Amino acid sequence: MSTEALIIAIVIFTLSTFLGVELIGRVPPTLHTPLMSGANAVSGITIVGALIIAAGDRGWISTYLGFVAIVFAMMNVAGGYAVTDRMLAMFKTKETEKKQ
Amino acid sequence: MSTEALIIAIVIFTLSTFLGVELIGRVPPTLHTPLMSGANAVSGITIVGALIIAAGDRGWISTYLGFVAIVFAMMNVAGGYAVTDRMLAMFKTKETEKKQ
Amino acid sequence: MCAMRIAVLKERTERRVALVPESVARLTKSGVEVLVERGAGSEAGFPDSQYESAGASLADSPNETMSGAALVLRVQPPLANEVAALPEGVVLISTLPASVAGERVPQLAARNVTLLGLERVPRITRAQSMDILSSQATVAGYKAVLIGAAAMPRLMPMMTTAAGSLAPAKAFIIGAGVAGLQAIATSRRLGAVVSAFDVRAAVKEQVQSLGASFVEGGVTAEGTGGYAREQTGDEQARMQQALADHIKDMDLTISTAAIPGKKAPVLITEAMVRSMKPGSVIVDLAAETGGNCAVTRAGETYTTANGVTILGPVNLPSTVPMHASQMFSRNVLTLLQHLITKEGELVINLEDDITGPMCLAHGGQVRS
Amino acid sequence: MCAMRIAVLKERTERRVALVPESVARLTKSGVEVLVERGAGSEAGFPDSQYESAGASLADSPNETMSGAALVLRVQPPLANEVAALPEGVVLISTLPASVAGERVPQLAARNVTLLGLERVPRITRAQSMDILSSQATVAGYKAVLIGAAAMPRLMPMMTTAAGSLAPAKAFIIGAGVAGLQAIATSRRLGAVVSAFDVRAAVKEQVQSLGASFVEGGVTAEGTGGYAREQTGDEQARMQQALADHIKDMDLTISTAAIPGKKAPVLITEAMVRSMKPGSVIVDLAAETGGNCAVTRAGETYTTANGVTILGPVNLPSTVPMHASQMFSRNVLTLLQHLITKEGELVINLEDDITGPMCLAHGGQVRS
Amino acid sequence: MPPWLTQLLYLVAAVLFIVGLKRLNTPATARRGNLISGAGMLVAIFVTLLDLGQVNYTVIIGGVVVGSALGLTAALSVQMTAMPQMVALLNGFGGGASMLVGAAEFLRLYQAGEEIATPTVTVMQLSLIIGAVTLSGSLIAFAKLQELMTGRPITYAGQQFVNGLLFLVLVGLAGWQVVTEVPLIGPFYGVVALALVLGVLLVMPIGGADMPVVISLLNSYSGVAAAMTGFVINNEVLIIAGALVGSAGVILSQLMCKAMNRSLANVLFGAFGAVVTAGKKSAEGLTVKSITAEDFAIQLAYAQKVIVVPGYGMAVAQAQHQARELADLIEKRGGAVKYAIHPVAGRMPGHMNVLLAEANVPYDKLYDMDEVNDEFADTDVCLVIGANDVVNPASRTDTSSPIYGMPILNADRARMCVVFKRSMAAGFAGVENELFYRDKTWMLFGDAKASLSKLISEVKQV
Amino acid sequence: MPPWLTQLLYLVAAVLFIVGLKRLNTPATARRGNLISGAGMLVAIFVTLLDLGQVNYTVIIGGVVVGSALGLTAALSVQMTAMPQMVALLNGFGGGASMLVGAAEFLRLYQAGEEIATPTVTVMQLSLIIGAVTLSGSLIAFAKLQELMTGRPITYAGQQFVNGLLFLVLVGLAGWQVVTEVPLIGPFYGVVALALVLGVLLVMPIGGADMPVVISLLNSYSGVAAAMTGFVINNEVLIIAGALVGSAGVILSQLMCKAMNRSLANVLFGAFGAVVTAGKKSAEGLTVKSITAEDFAIQLAYAQKVIVVPGYGMAVAQAQHQARELADLIEKRGGAVKYAIHPVAGRMPGHMNVLLAEANVPYDKLYDMDEVNDEFADTDVCLVIGANDVVNPASRTDTSSPIYGMPILNADRARMCVVFKRSMAAGFAGVENELFYRDKTWMLFGDAKASLSKLISEVKQV
Ligand SMILES: NC(=O)c1ccc[n+]([C@@H]2O[C@H](COP(=O)([O-])OP(=O)(O)OC[C@H]3O[C@@H](n4cnc5c(N)ncnc54)[C@H](OP(=O)(O)O)[C@@H]3O)[C@@H](O)[C@H]2O)c1
Ligand SMILES: NC(=O)c1ccc[n+]([C@@H]2O[C@H](COP(=O)([O-])OP(=O)(O)OC[C@H]3O[C@@H](n4cnc5c(N)ncnc54)[C@H](OP(=O)(O)O)[C@@H]3O)[C@@H](O)[C@H]2O)c1
Ligand SMILES: NC(=O)c1ccc[n+]([C@@H]2O[C@H](COP(=O)([O-])OP(=O)(O)OC[C@H]3O[C@@H](n4cnc5c(N)ncnc54)[C@H](O)[C@@H]3O)[C@@H](O)[C@H]2O)c1
Ligand SMILES: NC(=O)c1ccc[n+]([C@@H]2O[C@H](COP(=O)([O-])OP(=O)(O)OC[C@H]3O[C@@H](n4cnc5c(N)ncnc54)[C@H](O)[C@@H]3O)[C@@H](O)[C@H]2O)c1
């Protein structure tokens, strides 16, 4: 990794960090748990890393570890979004019911 | 400018744009004008560009245009911050008075 | 030059007083001389000493008080036998109930008295602060609730107690003019559930603006000058039905419906009274002009065979003499400030918007 | 087996009635027989017809009513000449003002009557719904304000009108027990600016909880059972000074201070009355037990030389007979439910927390 | 200085901008926020200078000194009331600078006869166009506000068509420049000239009262122009700061529009349409200003002295509880509130008293007309809640008015007067109320209870 | 696929994440927000696969299928009440994946014997450490919530010292790896092992009730780990998404702490201190749960049936206006509110009536004890405002209690009962109230007026 690339990565990291702070502004307490869960699903983005590692021609270690990493990350991704959606579905129904 | 550099620039631009949107969240109407003025001062950042153009060894056109650009940008910067501060000073006094 | 002199008489049939010391002070300060009959304000809580410190002189008899006066102030008009005592050509300001006007005005005109009848202050914006009908109706509306509540065998507000829950009283106000609105407000204050009825459509919003509900009578009869007009027979019938349906559940009914100069409309029939619950109470503020209730006895309180208590109070403002006088006096003072020039002269300009309509007798003539 | 019979008499000196039809219905439903003297409830707004539909039988005379009764209910205790008419050995439940107790109890004991005095319901949580002192004091406190307000020459609430602004009346409540608190609440409702005074410290918060201000007397004298105790001489002096300073500006003073079984403390001295403004009003709820005001005349209303009107009402609850009876009756009903077993038998258990203290005569003996 | 350090320091500058802008959002921290963002600017400038190393300092120092001097002089001498146009002017120069940087870079490459990479030439066109539009547009906004030209919308038939055409030509020229192999000087001048004209044309049809929105938008443009310049010279801090300002400006203009109860499109192109929403006009052509609860909240929140004038409308709306709650809120924030009760407010003597007592307003906050009438003059805000006749100044002067001679509450003398009512309808006396058309009066239309509730929740958020 | 397209599509994915998270902030848009962010994830995954071109799909498809199946099964079968531990578990796997990616990259380079650039090796260490801490910490959090181990804080003497030491050794090993020229396998294993242990140790001393905060924090860690992985493999979408989650998680844990009225430090290290704030204990060792206005607001906001039980404390606090305002608010949101008036509530007959009438509560909302007592059982929330004796269940059963036999309001039968009072002090009768210790009861301590005001503004924000 070149220094320049590192710097740019840091710039992007910094901007994203600020953005994350701003995004979670005034979330109401009921949404604390769903939001936590939703954010957790996003953190499954590491799947991209796992895929790259596992798929690339980087030797057997990478492939094996990559496989496990894919399984782990995919659990995070699939499970994370599903759990979040279930929580929010409950919420949604209550919301919609009220409107009737 | 390489395509890669362009892409990175676009990424940074996008992130910053989102950040800008989030930053100006629930500003109260009294602050509309000061905030406008403060943001205007920040847009004077083009001074950096002006300096680079004027200082670099890029021929007389760059130097001349760069000089004018520096004057313009510097007016924006110095005037912008000063005006904003004046507005906010007024505001501040009212705030502080209240606390007494 | 000798200052104008105003005489304030002690009332004989009345606890109010036409001018309170505060108003006297304002007049004397502007250079007018005020003579007050001894004891004039005592019933209303204004001892002679206060008049003295307000700059008035005290006099012992009506005659002494009025001697040399350009203007005589009273709450009630003079009795027939008092007319003669008025200095000739004097200006008299007092109330003049319709019941005595017919007889008294010619007598006064005959004595060349200029008579300004306080009931006749026109209901224009500018004259609001001279309007004794409004100010005294305010007092009457308030007091009607108090005597009605005191006559009730029950409490007004809802109450949840260890000895069971008491339901709030249902109060019903008929006629939501000045007195009626005040009665609404006062019974609401005491915790009653209040409804009201009036023939004027604009009143509905006003009733609701006091948190009470409006009973629709299916009739509107807006008159001029903010007063109501009389109804046609059919209107009457529809209205009566609406009233009958509503009134039978009421615990306290206060009726204030009046049509100026006319006998009060009979709105509560005997049948309605008979339909009411034992223990319910009617306060008929129109008792003086015949009553809104068919069986009202003016000046009396009695209970019907089916246990309905009917109060027919007369002259309620006189029973709250201090504040009633204070407001009366302020009305009169504003009127005087309108009549008296900066130079301290009393001017009766019959062309004037306010003085004109008020003047009932002038230069020996009866006006109308 | 023949059901137990309860007799409800018509009062002679009183408008309330001891049982209202609603309570009668509850009793008859549980198998008790109730005999009601004709006209017993009519003054309170409960016609005989309602008693009949509640399941009571009507009787024409006191004697007829009481014949065969195990229990006689009255609001006021029997007069001396009525004692003999009571069936021997009967249980009598009624109030028993301290003033008559000394004389009447021995007479009743002599007739072997078991007497339960309603004033003696102990002030424990469980007995709250039998406590006629509380329920009747509620009525008294409310009514005191109404009659006080009606006696005032001024309006209670603040009012800004075209005829000047009227200042709100200043009401002052002495003794913030049940009646006092109710008086505070009612005068606040009417728009007065209310202050209150009491010797018990806990009361301050209660007064404030009604939005009134508390006048510090620099004295606390908490007694037992929620009642106050008597003060020492020094305490008295300090308190009197605090009262004197405050009372002279008051428009309406309502005093409710009482110490059970004792003569009421004199809190408003003659000097204080003299210091008050013309037009101010005192309602002395303690009039019956001697009055909190030195110059109260029990049962009378009069105005002092300096224009202070003093009301000494006796038995105010009787003037609100419907609701007062309703609560009284509910209290008595709860007591009866406590006394009567599921099998419909009347049991006087002198060891009982509630019955014990209430029983003043039993088995021919006077108890205390 | 090693490049990574330069870039890190640029990042520091960017973070300072972010933090500064964030703080500018709250009254309490705004001033410090501006200073922080200023610090960011200083860092950026110094880093640039250090990074450039040995250069021709005459030009640079000369430019900096001249620019700063001009800017500061203007900023410090300007009247407070002229702030908006000053911001417009400064903003214009910022846009101009971006344009010049783009132009210089282009001309250099043009002279060198180099081929310019497509991305570069693209962003160069953008920086030129946006910078030029910002420059000329800002100057027009300045001229309008400074009243160097009429503040009114300038429109003519076919205006939209002309603008559209111009825009197409501009895009065409820029596109030509992009697709061509070697830089062309003709299209370059064309683009600059047309962009300058476009800026003028875009701002001309917008009225003076809407200028703040336009300035904020132009401010956003100048940010984007700076960002484009950043693309051109490949500098991150320019991109970040430019983009920040770019989006912040747009959001801000939207907020401003919302506060005016208009859409951005309506502000920008409103003059073209048929509907003129400049405000309701009375018979005599007077104009009424209305205000939203949101806008009003902040002013009320900082008011020191407030007088509430209740009237019959408050009773109709049964808004007494809300009125009291609002007053409590103001007092909790340190303001003082009085209620001015007119003798004939409402429909019965003591009408207001009953209601305010019901809402538990302490008696000592209630003032008679005579007691309070002199205090209006130094009152920050007067809230006229459903009153009308009792605050009608016609009663003082208009002898023909039916209410002539009735003393009124001097609501019109307060520094700011806000009237809560549902419409322009007359009150009991049926006469028009001139107060509503006064300079210092704003109307808050709607049911008084609803408006007050709204206002309460807005004030709580300030 | 050209690299620039890949990168642009990654940017699209990042934007989808941003928009998605933004929408997750508001109840109305939350579900759609989650779907948007999910779409972002799909884009990222497909872009990666496309970009990789021809590869060993067995591993990839196998991994994806197995992982998805496991994740979905777990997610769809889990009980609603077990959601938090599920999130913890999934989060742990995410952290584990990041750790594995870091490890794989390291091992590859180690095997190749290549020298790794300092920046790369640094971020690699971070990705390993943070990933490992996330993994083991999340598993402990899961175990605690799932009651596989005690939910109580596990502490021992010198714990802080041990943790500190461990951390130093970890940093030392990582530092060694960074400074050394060629990658070392020993420190690598050491770092991984120690980081795993550290995760366990950090979470052990935190009580089960505080786990949501910890999970949110670990979630933040897993984001940072992903971002570090992004540094390692130089991938922007990883960096952006990871950093977003990293900061969002921290902010969220802070919000959660604020809602619990605690500091983050207190949550994380509270168990080490002497103060145990687990709750007030009554004489008999019963525990009281207290609730904050913020937390309560949301439950109240969605309640359908609410009963208000006012008592003397409401009178003392003069909170009747606020009580009414709150009830109005609930009704505006569609709930139904009744006031249950106990015959001896307050200190005089009709005490509550006077106050509620003053606050203009309509009579028909007031219910006698007998009328309303059966309704508590299907009431969502019962608000006990400054009442005590009149809701004391001891009066039903405890024959020794002075209030035995007094009928009470069945506040204890409501689904949720919240008691507003200032302390645990007794009421008029001076007896303890068992209601306060019941499972379904929460205490909202503080002056009733203040608490209600707070609650009102919180409910408004829901
Ligand atoms: N006090 C008395 O004793 C008495 C007796 C009789 C007559 N008057 C007369 O009544 C008038 C009183 O003056 P005022 O200023 O109190 O009242 P006003 O002049 O009658 O004006 C009331 C205003 O309230 C507005 N309004 C009505 N409902 C509203 C709602 N729900 N929300 C917001 N605004 C509402 C109306 O405007 P919109 O329709 O546009 O909303 C109206 O213009 C005087 O002219 C007086 O002479 C008084
Ligand atoms: N109604 C009557 O006629 C009458 C007459 C006499 C006696 N009583 C008796 O009074 C009692 C009435 O029961 P209740 O439940 O209404 O009242 P309670 O049992 O006296 O309890 C009132 C509670 O309110 C709380 N409180 C006080 N000030 C507060 C404030 N500012 N904010 C929040 N909470 C506050 C107190 O707790 P904290 O101190 O912890 O805040 C107290 O526990 C019964 O025992 C009844 O027998 C009634
Ligand atoms: N200057 C002013 O603007 C001014 C001053 C004072 C009063 N007013 C207005 O004048 C009006 C009359 O006030 P008032 O108190 O003197 O009225 P009033 O005493 O003449 O009558 C009382 C009320 O009874 C009603 N009424 C009459 N006949 C009725 C019937 N058959 N059934 C039911 N209701 C009947 C009337 O409509 C009136 O509302 C009020 O609206 C008042 O606000 C205006
Ligand atoms: N079961 C219960 O718990 C229960 C039931 C009813 C009443 N109580 C309580 O008992 C108390 C007494 O109520 P009450 O109305 O029967 O009282 P009361 O009629 O005996 O006396 C009225 C008030 O006057 C006060 N007072 C006495 N002497 C005074 C003096 N010298 N100066 C000033 N004030 C003086 C007393 O403190 C009392 O507050 C109240 O606190 C009431 O709440 C409790």
Side-chain angles (χ1 to χ4, degrees), chain C residues 124-126 128 134 138 178 181 205-206, chain D residues 160-162, chain E residues 309-319 342-352 384-392 403 406 420-430 433 436 443-451:
Chain C
I124 56 177
T125 304
R126 206 154 45 100
Q128 271 175 310
S134 281
T138 300
V178 175
L181 289 175
E205 192 190 54
Q206 297 176 11
Chain D
T160 313
T161 78
Chain E
V309 176
Y312 180 58
M314 183 188 82
V316 171
Q318 289 282 296
H342 191 277
V344 301
R347 287 292 182 272
M348 68 163 205
H351 202 159
M352 296 301 118
V384 176
I385 306 183
N388 190 340
D389 296 344
V390 301
V391 290
N392 191 340
I403 57 169
M406 174 174 86
F420 294 67
K421 67 199 291 289
R422 296 164 307 181
S423 65
M424 292 301 293
F428 182 82
N433 193 337
F436 306 158
M443 306 298 292
L444 212 170
F445 288 114
D447 177 73
K449 189 176 193 162
S451 304

Side-chain angles (χ1 to χ4, degrees), chain C residues 158-162 165 168 191 193, chain F residues 341 343-344 349-350 353 360 363 366 368:
Chain C
M158 180 181 184
M159 232 176 246
T160 312
T161 77
S165 289
V193 175
Chain F
I341 314 295
V344 300
N353 299 103
N360 238 12
Y363 280 150
L366 269 44
D368 270 9

Side-chain angles (χ1 to χ4, degrees), chain E residues 129-458:
Chain E
I129 295 174
I130 302 176
V133 167
T134 306
L135 173 60
S136 62
S138 297
L139 289 178
I140 296 296
F142 170 76
K144 285 207 169 207
L145 285 176
Q146 193 69 13
E147 298 184 345
L148 300 179
M149 62 185 288
T150 171
R152 273 193 290 169
I154 297 174
T155 50
Y156 54 88
Q159 194 167 16
Q160 271 174 298
F161 176 75
V162 170
N163 288 2
L165 198 69
L166 192 74
F167 184 71
L168 284 181
V169 174
L170 184 59
V171 170
L173 284 178
W176 181 13
Q177 185 75 269
V178 169
V179 294
T180 188
E181 300 270 286
V182 280
L184 303 171
I185 194 74
F188 164 75
Y189 285 123
V191 162
V192 171
L194 285 184
L196 285 173
V197 174
L198 189 64
V200 172
L201 292 186
L202 283 177
V203 179
M204 291 289 263
I206 303 173
D210 291 334
M211 275 306 136
V213 177
V214 173
I215 296 175
S216 177
L217 203 63
L218 289 170
N219 185 9
S220 162
Y221 292 173
S222 79
V224 177
M228 291 305 134
T229 313
F231 278 73
V232 173
I233 61 168
N234 205 355
N235 182 301
E236 278 147 26
V237 74
L238 272 180
I239 300 179
I240 297 176
L244 276 178
V245 174
S247 59
V250 172
I251 294 295
L252 191 54
S253 356
Q254 262 168 356
L255 286 180
M256 286 174 165
C257 289
K258 218 182 114 198
M260 300 193 315
N261 236 340
R262 316 224 345 237
S263 72
L264 191 50
N266 180 283
V267 168
L268 296 182
F269 308 115
F272 298 132
V275 247
V276 179
T277 50
K280 299 180 195 243
K281 306 259 172 187
S282 89
E284 307 101 86
L286 294 167
T287 319
V288 176
K289 294 187 299 298
S290 80
I291 193 168
T292 62
E294 293 89 342
D295 269 347
F296 181 38
I298 183 93
Q299 276 158 293
L300 191 57
Y302 292 102
Q304 294 295 323
K305 208 173 153 193
V306 174
I307 295 184
V308 175
V309 176
Y312 180 58
M314 183 188 82
V316 171
Q318 289 282 296
Q320 59 270 28
H321 294 278
Q322 283 69 26
R324 189 238 155 115
E325 205 188 329
L326 182 63
D328 285 356
L329 205 57
I330 298 169
E331 299 206 318
K332 223 160 65 189
R333 301 183 64 103
V337 181
K338 294 182 175 180
Y339 295 79
I341 314 295
H342 191 277
V344 301
R347 287 292 182 272
M348 68 163 205
H351 202 159
M352 296 301 118
N353 299 105
V354 183
L355 299 169
L356 295 175
E358 183 189 310
N360 237 12
V361 174
Y363 280 149
D364 57 13
K365 297 248 167 85
L366 268 44
Y367 289 82
D368 272 7
M369 182 167 65
D370 305 332
E371 289 170 339
V372 80
N373 242 353
D374 291 339
E375 297 192 25
F376 281 95
D378 66 347
T379 293
D380 296 322
V381 181
C382 171
L383 301 169
V384 176
I385 306 183
N388 190 340
D389 296 344
V390 301
V391 290
N392 191 340
S395 72
R396 291 204 206 104
T397 47
D398 180 359
T399 49
S400 71
S401 170
I403 57 169
Y404 175 68
M406 174 174 86
I408 59 152
L409 288 166
N410 297 333
D412 56 331
R413 309 244 160 107
R415 297 208 188 96
M416 174 182 198
C417 176
V418 176
V419 180
F420 294 67
K421 67 199 291 289
R422 296 164 307 181
S423 65
M424 292 301 293
F428 182 82
V431 292
E432 273 238 42
N433 193 337
E434 189 204 325
L435 170 70
F436 306 158
Y437 304 97
R438 294 264 168 118
D439 255 11
K440 296 183 292 180
T441 305
W442 277 261
M443 306 298 292
L444 212 170
F445 288 114
D447 177 73
K449 189 176 193 162
S451 304
L452 282 170
S453 298
K454 188 93 189 289
L455 193 55
I456 289 166
S457 66
E458 292 294 328

